[in-house]
Amino acid sequence: FTAPHPPYDPTDKSGFSYETVVKRWPIIITGVIDTLHQACHQLSLQSNLNAGTDSSAEVSNVDVQESTRKKIKEATGIIEKLSKLKYEMARDKPLVLIPDDGEPHVDTYNSELAALAKDSRDTWFTAPWLFAECYLYRLLRSFFVQTDHWASIDPFQEQKMKTFAQSGKAIYQIATTMHELEVDRAALRADPEKLGVLFNEMIQMCLWGNATDLSLLTHLSQEDIAHLQSVGKEARAARSKFILRGDEDAVWAHIKGLEGKEEAQKRVDFVLDNSGFELFTDLVFADFLVTYTPYVTKVVFHPKLIPWFVSDVTPPDFKTTFDALEDASSFFSSPTFSPSDSETTHMHTMVSRWQSYLASGVFSLSVPVETPLGGGGKDDEEVKAAEFWTSPYPYWDMRTRSPGAFESLRGSGLVIFKGDLNYRKLTGDVAWPAWTSFNEALGPLAGSFPLLSLRTNKADVVVGVEKAVAERLDARGEKWRVDGRYALISFLGLSAG
Ligand code: F6P
Ligand code: MG
């Protein structure tokens, strides 16, 4: 499918893409370099310590020191590649080919690069933004996967967990809300009107969960994040005026319509975005749908197979999130926060319910939870389908580019696409006028399955907003497309809207 508008790229210096290449990517790459430096520092401290200990250990000190030396050497190699990448990016050099590292999409990225080169659009300041950004994370992955020691390392993992650990206040508050629902579960399930009101709160909580992705942390302070996570009614009401498109009533009507459908259609899919707080809000929303409404019986979560856009959920993240929640009272305790006894009980009840859902298949990850980064070389259908989420393709080409991914969603009662990047891929990241219908912007994907996008605006592309509203915001000079303060709830059912 070819859209009638050009893709966003950094040749427009007023766009967010330009700022991204100039500022945000270099900061992210520098962060990875720092992480590796720190890891090496730890390794050498450890090895010095070992050197001082008793030599009767089973693995001799010489072996340990040799292996440490090798790890550090490999890390130094990655750091060199990262530094070169930063240098080339700043000087608008061409994007280099992805090496044949045994992981998916080498040809996909490289053939697109060849096509761009023919057009002289294969450099950091000329390549389409969506393509270049996906390429960047695939290239980073290649640096790691070509080593022995670092192939299963996610350079963003620590950052993801650290930020999650700072979300205790909001997380416990939500667990308590869920506990309050539990008290009148039976009455709720039989009261569609009350459920509708709660649904609105849940969908908004899940939407604003997207405000805290780490690739934006390059300009958000910890205080900003705490503010974005505040979940009280007032905070939510204050934010609702920032929702520029609100299809929540149509979504709710659609979900209610799932009652009486075949079991297979009472399924909701989440194409996940970020790990940590956002994933937690996804799980809460999923829990609400299966526990308190009679309309949904199963939820499938779709992760990324490689470290992606800093904070996206990988299968290891999904597992560590559950580990953290299982041990929530120590994981979230900090000098400024510790949960009360009743909060601890509420959290425990909720997380135990989620675990039982995972065990019984009510909740599932689209690939086995143990799937290692990169997919572990598996050819299983689900792993192949999941590879699509780290390709650079717009979703209007999903059916042709990845029949597996397409089929995995077909027949779902509702597919929820979380976050900004998913939105960019849904709309192809091209310069649609903001008042283009969501239906038109989805191209051939429209009508394939009922589709909901929950997105806080962090990139230029926007559709489905009234012309007068868009023009007013533009006239005020607001950065409403990119500053993360505004959001969209966009829904399209099976028939075009
Ligand atoms: O850097 C590009 C970008 O897509 C931004 O638009 C956004 O800030 C971020 O990456 C990803 O956001 P999200 O986690 O919501 O997909
Ligand atoms: Mg993300």
Side-chain angles (χ1 to χ4, degrees), residues 30-40 150 154-156 158-159:
T30 306
V32 178
I33 294 176
D34 288 349
T35 303
L36 283 167
H37 272 304
Q38 272 167 31
C40 289
W150 305 91
D154 173 352
F156 307 117
E158 210 180 299
Q159 201 184 342

Side-chain angles (χ1 to χ4, degrees), residues 198-216:
L198 281 171
F199 175 79
N200 266 343
E201 296 199 5
M202 289 289 157
I203 199 172
Q204 282 198 44
M205 175 225 31
C206 189
L207 166 70
W208 293 112
N210 176 244
T212 60
D213 87 88
L214 296 178
S215 74
L216 267 191

Side-chain angles (χ1 to χ4, degrees), residues 185-233:
R185 185 196 303 203
L188 261 181
R189 278 180 77 97
D191 187 344
E193 214 168 295
K194 207 162 179 197
L195 274 180
V197 174
L198 281 171
F199 175 79
N200 266 343
E201 296 199 5
M202 289 289 157
I203 199 172
Q204 282 198 44
M205 175 225 31
C206 189
L207 166 70
W208 293 112
N210 176 244
T212 60
D213 87 88
L214 296 178
S215 74
L216 267 191
L217 271 192
T218 54
H219 70 253
L220 286 184
S221 70
Q222 191 50 49
E223 221 169 83
D224 290 334
I225 297 205
H227 179 68
L228 285 167
Q229 288 181 346
S230 51
V231 288
K233 273 214 169 73

Side-chain angles (χ1 to χ4, degrees), residues 283-410:
L283 288 160
V284 172
F285 192 27
D287 185 16
F288 168 76
L289 292 172
V290 298
T291 309
Y292 301 103
T293 83
Y295 318 122
V296 177
T297 53
K298 189 174 162 49
V299 179
V300 182
F301 299 93
H302 300 262
K304 308 292 187 307
L305 293 181
I306 61 172
W308 193 246
F309 285 66
V310 184
S311 42
D312 283 25
V313 182
T314 62
D317 289 332
F318 195 81
K319 189 172 176 313
T320 38
T321 298
F322 270 87
D323 293 345
L325 290 171
E326 210 173 306
D327 188 23
S329 46
S330 58
F331 182 78
F332 292 108
S333 287
S334 72
T336 52
F337 176 79
S338 65
S340 68
D341 287 352
S342 63
E343 282 178 323
T344 301
T345 314
H346 302 155
M347 177 69 87
H348 180 73
T349 313
M350 185 178 72
V351 173
S352 306
R353 184 167 61 238
W354 295 358
Q355 274 160 333
S356 75
Y357 286 164
L358 275 180
S360 63
V362 169
F363 282 181
S364 61
L365 199 62
S366 69
V367 296
V369 179
E370 315 71 44
T371 307
L373 292 183
K378 287 219 173 117
D379 265 340
D380 303 350
E381 230 173 83
E382 336 57 284
V383 173
K384 285 267 139 223
E387 285 170 4
F388 179 67
W389 308 117
T390 49
S391 75
Y393 297 124
Y395 294 161
W396 55 52
D397 287 337
M398 188 189 300
R399 188 201 284 254
T400 47
R401 297 296 187 182
S402 177
F406 186 78
E407 286 308 322
S408 76
L409 300 179
R410 223 136 103 114

